Amino acid sequence: MKIYTKTGDTGTTALFGGTRVPKHNIRIESYGTVDELNSHLGLIRTQDIDPRSKEILIHIQDRLFTLGAILATDPAKATLKSGKERLNIPKIDEEDITLLEKEMDMMNDALPPMTHFILPGGNSTVSYCHIARTVCRRAERRATLLNENEPIDERVLMYLNRLSDYLFVLARKLSKDTNAEETQWIPKKL
């Protein structure tokens, strides 16, 4: 199978189901940003971090492929003529969202309380987490815009929202694990 098809040379691409749309379509922007996020998570996973965090990141990357597939499916072609779903894979479910919440709670319990906003940074690994968090927020913004025009599964939005929170807490955990300094943002007084 060749990687290049030349079918996108005119600025369009196919959704799952065959519908062709412009490459700047909000649906493409949505799952493209999820793909970008997934790549950032892969970068975090290659860092010297604890095995549990790596395991959870692999799980999240799997879920992001699913989430991307959901976003890449044309709603008008989501159901086949036979009545079966075109996308025949496990969808994002409550357990996926609950896992992120449980992981955040577990990490948070071992962290000092937050009293101020924290400036992104500390070391490369922590910075990668903050970059992934902001890309996740962008994916969420793109998905909510898509949802305004073509409703999507609410669990997609919930998962992205929870994931950005998870990445923030992971950044704090990795700061602690690596003894990186957390720099608080303390606004200057007028």
Side-chain angles (χ1 to χ4, degrees), residues 13-21 27-28 31 68-81 85-88:
T13 193
L15 297 175
F16 192 47
T19 305
R20 293 207 67 82
V21 296
R27 186 170 290 281
I28 307 305
Y31 74 75
I70 292 166
L71 293 172
T73 302
D74 180 354
K77 296 185 178 180
T79 304
L80 301 171
K81 291 178 184 176
E85 287 187 44
R86 179 175 298 279
L87 194 57
N88 189 21

Side-chain angles (χ1 to χ4, degrees), residues 67-186:
L67 198 146
I70 292 166
L71 293 172
T73 302
D74 180 354
K77 296 185 178 180
T79 304
L80 301 171
K81 291 178 184 176
S82 66
K84 291 184 178 181
E85 287 187 44
R86 179 175 298 279
L87 194 57
N88 189 21
I89 58 174
K91 308 300 183 297
I92 301 297
D93 60 25
E94 292 300 321
E95 289 178 17
D96 295 317
I97 295 163
T98 301
L99 174 68
L100 294 177
E101 292 171 347
K102 286 180 181 176
E103 290 296 317
M104 279 187 280
D105 291 343
M106 194 168 52
M107 290 186 289
N108 244 342
D109 287 345
L111 294 171
M114 240 178 67
T115 57
H116 294 82
F117 286 109
I118 297 168
L119 297 177
N123 63 37
S124 296
T125 304
V126 173
S127 296
Y128 295 148
C129 284
H130 285 291
I131 291 168
R133 173 184 57 80
T134 61
V135 172
C136 187
R137 286 287 187 205
R138 180 163 30 95
E140 183 183 16
R141 290 191 302 272
R142 298 289 193 265
T144 57
L145 179 59
L146 172 62
N147 188 54
E148 284 182 12
N149 298 305
E150 297 178 38
I152 58 177
D153 185 334
E154 67 181 7
R155 289 171 293 207
V156 166
L157 300 176
M158 292 170 65
Y159 190 80
L160 289 171
N161 183 268
R162 216 64 90 250
L163 180 55
S164 62
D165 294 336
Y166 168 84
L167 291 168
F168 177 77
V169 178
L170 179 62
R172 292 202 68 218
K173 176 202 181 300
L174 295 177
S175 285
K176 183 180 178 198
D177 289 354
T178 60
N179 294 314
E181 182 182 349
E182 278 190 341
T183 305
Q184 296 179 341
W185 179 62
I186 302 171

Side-chain angles (χ1 to χ4, degrees), residues 43-51 54 123 125 174 177-178:
L43 178 62
I44 297 167
R45 205 166 41 79
T46 65
Q47 305 302 299
D48 186 20
I49 62 174
D50 62 283
K54 285 186 181 197
N123 63 37
T125 304
L174 295 177
D177 289 354
T178 60

